[in-house]
Amino acid sequence: MISDRESYISLATFRKNGQPVWTPVWFAMNGGRLYVMTRSDSWKIKRLANNPRVLFAPSSIRGKIKGPQQQGMARIMPPGDDLGRTLIRKKYLLARLPIWSKENVYLEITPDAA
């Protein structure tokens, strides 16, 4: 089970051929859901457009998985919904700095029921 005390999760999105692509990302939790920040032009966004299913697990900054994998469904949050942004900025000081792209979008991941 993922804990909000973790700093990173490794998030897998799926290519059209079904192969997972793992990426370490910042995340925050609220109400059992995970929120992730990424660029709107990233490959993970393109892969999610084809398949919203994801895998995720606690990881190191380099993406080394440190715990059990979980499955879930991801969706891109609409532009006016600031919950993901607020949660990420609250958890990560660096996310508050104006160095991040204005092209960021936030994902909401709903874990599958265990």
Side-chain angles (χ1 to χ4, degrees):
M1 204 63 166
I2 299 283
S3 165
D4 200 33
R5 292 182 179 179
E6 298 286 343
S7 295
Y8 297 91
I9 59 170
S10 194
L11 177 67
T13 53
F14 295 92
R15 293 183 175 150
K16 287 182 182 179
N17 67 7
Q19 180 182 6
V21 178
W22 290 91
T23 309
V25 293
W26 284 345
F27 77 102
M29 295 181 70
N30 186 42
R33 294 181 182 193
L34 285 76
Y35 296 87
V36 172
M37 176 178 74
T38 190
R39 285 184 48 96
S40 61
D41 59 354
S42 70
W43 281 100
K44 82 177 78 59
I45 294 297
K46 295 171 185 173
R47 289 188 293 270
L48 284 171
N50 292 315
N51 183 356
R53 177 139 314 271
V54 296
L55 295 174
F56 55 93
S59 75
S60 69
I61 190 172
R62 295 184 181 243
K64 181 177 177 170
I65 294 177
K66 304 187 310 183
Q69 296 178 14
Q70 293 180 259
Q71 294 185 38
M73 299 293 281
R75 73 176 183 100
I76 300 166
M77 297 184 70
D81 191 339
D82 286 337
L83 178 60
R85 180 175 182 237
T86 301
L87 293 170
I88 295 286
R89 284 183 169 196
K90 182 177 179 183
K91 185 173 178 180
Y92 299 97
L93 177 64
L94 285 176
R96 299 175 199 161
L97 300 176
I99 58 174
W100 303 105
S101 169
K102 294 186 191 312
E103 300 301 316
N104 285 335
V105 295
Y106 294 85
L107 305 177
E108 180 182 67
I109 300 169
T110 304
D112 289 349

